[in-house]
Amino acid sequence: MTGRDPFLQANGTMENLLGIERAGELAVTEADYAAARTVQLREGRAPAGTRGNFDLAHLKAIHRHLFGDVYGWAGTTRAEPLTLGGVTVRQPPLLMKGTTTFEAGNRVNARLEAAFDRLRAEGYLQGLSREAFSERAADLLIQINNAHPFREGNGRTQREFMLQLAEQAGHPLNFDPISQQRMIVASYDGIQGDPSTMRRLFDEISDPDRVAVLERGVQYLEGARQHGPEWEEMYVATMTTGREYRGPLVAKGQEFFVMASEGGAIVGHPQDLPEGHGRYVTVQATPFPSVDGGPQPRLEHDLDY
C-alpha cells in the first residue's frame, strides 16, 4: 500500500464509476443519482435488504442503493477491505472532515453493531411516546454519525435509515425543513458529547404541528433568498414552548412568523405575537396549534433583515 488515498484520483476528485474528473461535476451527478434512488427507497421499489432489519447490513444496503451507480465501494464501511479496479487495498485508518475526526476505521463496525444490538433489545423504539422516541432516535443518529461508516454519503444514508425506523415506530419524521447548517451544528455538538441540539431537532421533526410551522418559515426564506443568505446556510429552528424570545421580525404570515436571530432565524406561530407589535418584538412561546398542512399561507408582512 502506498501513501496515496485509494478513494481519490490524482487530482483530488473521488474515484468513481463514471470516469468524472471534475469535483463539481461529480457532486452534481452524484446528487442526481442519489435523488432518483431515494425516490425508489421511499416508494418501496428498492432491492430487498434496504428496508426492515435496522442492523449494519440494512444500513450498508441503503448506502449501496443510493450510491452504487457512482462509487464502486458503495455499501463498504471503513472497517472492511476495499476493492478498487480489481485490487484490494487497505483503507486509511482515520477519517477527518474539517477539524472533526471520526471513529477509527477498524472500530466502525463494532461500534455500530453494539448500537444496533441495543436498538433491537429496545424493540426498535416501538411503543414509545413521541417525546421518548425523538430523544432516543436523536441519540441513535449521533452514534451512527460519530462512527461515520462510509467515506461519503453518510448523511443521506443515515436520514433514510432513520426515516424508515420512525415510520415503523409510528412517529414519522420530516427532515425537509432542516437546513444543512443546522444539521452540521447538531452533528458537531453530538460528536463533542452534547446531544441536546440533536434532541431538539428530533423533537421538532417528529411533531407534525411544529414542523409544519417550520416548513412555512423555510418556504418564506427560500423564496426570499435573493435578499439574503441561502436558508440552507442558516440555523433555522422553531421556538421552544415556555421560552422568551426577543428580536426583529423578518416576515409574518397567517400561520407563521420569522424572527431574526444570531446566525439564523427563529420561526413561531402568530398566536404568540403581542397585539399592536412593531418590528422588534418580545415573544413568550406557547404550544403550537394544529395545522392542516395546506398550501403556503398568504404573507401579510415582508420585512428585510
Side-chain angles (χ1 to χ4, degrees), residues 2-189:
T2 67
R4 189 177 78 83
D5 189 330
F7 287 92
L8 301 180
Q9 302 177 45
N11 65 0
T13 300
M14 191 75 67
E15 290 280 3
N16 62 89
L17 299 173
L18 307 176
I20 297 174
E21 298 182 351
R22 295 195 301 269
E25 179 185 354
L26 178 60
V28 171
T29 303
E30 176 203 283
D32 288 343
Y33 274 105
R37 294 300 188 182
T38 297
V39 172
Q40 293 178 346
L41 267 179
R42 297 185 183 183
E43 292 181 349
R45 296 188 287 113
T50 55
R51 295 190 68 91
N53 292 327
F54 302 108
D55 55 11
L56 182 56
H58 181 181
L59 188 72
K60 290 166 60 176
I62 291 175
H63 188 272
R64 186 179 305 112
H65 183 71
L66 292 179
F67 300 102
D69 298 299
V70 182
Y71 302 120
W73 49 267
T76 301
T77 73
R78 296 189 294 114
E80 299 166 342
L82 178 67
T83 301
L84 294 173
V87 178
T88 300
V89 297
R90 293 169 60 189
Q91 298 198 46
L94 296 177
L95 176 63
M96 291 188 63
K97 292 192 175 183
T99 60
T100 300
T101 301
F102 296 98
E103 183 67 74
N106 62 355
R107 294 201 296 263
V108 163
N109 284 17
R111 288 296 176 91
L112 288 175
E113 286 167 351
F116 295 143
D117 284 348
R118 179 183 173 187
L119 178 65
R120 183 175 62 254
E122 294 175 329
Y124 302 104
L125 311 188
Q126 298 182 55
L128 300 179
S129 67
R130 184 192 64 79
E131 293 80 5
F133 168 82
S134 67
E135 180 173 312
R136 182 65 186 91
D139 292 348
L140 176 63
L141 181 58
I142 289 173
Q143 290 178 295
I144 299 173
N145 185 67
N146 288 359
H148 236 60
F150 309 106
R151 180 57 183 265
E152 292 290 343
N154 289 280
R156 283 165 285 183
T157 301
Q158 293 163 185
R159 180 183 61 199
E160 297 307 313
F161 185 92
M162 297 304 301
L163 286 172
Q164 292 181 16
L165 179 67
E167 179 184 5
Q168 179 173 289
H171 298 293
L173 303 174
N174 182 358
F175 284 99
D176 291 346
I178 299 301
S179 68
Q180 182 180 25
Q181 177 62 19
R182 184 174 183 189
M183 185 58 74
I184 289 172
V185 171
S187 298
Y188 178 81
D189 286 353

Side-chain angles (χ1 to χ4, degrees), residues 194-223:
D194 178 6
S196 62
T197 313
M198 189 70 78
R199 287 177 178 178
R200 178 185 175 189
L201 188 157
F202 268 72
D203 188 51
E204 292 182 42
I205 66 175
S206 64
D207 184 338
D209 297 331
R210 195 171 178 184
V211 79
V213 176
L214 181 61
E215 282 192 300
R216 307 294 196 199
V218 164
Q219 287 169 10
Y220 163 76
L221 291 170
E222 188 171 26

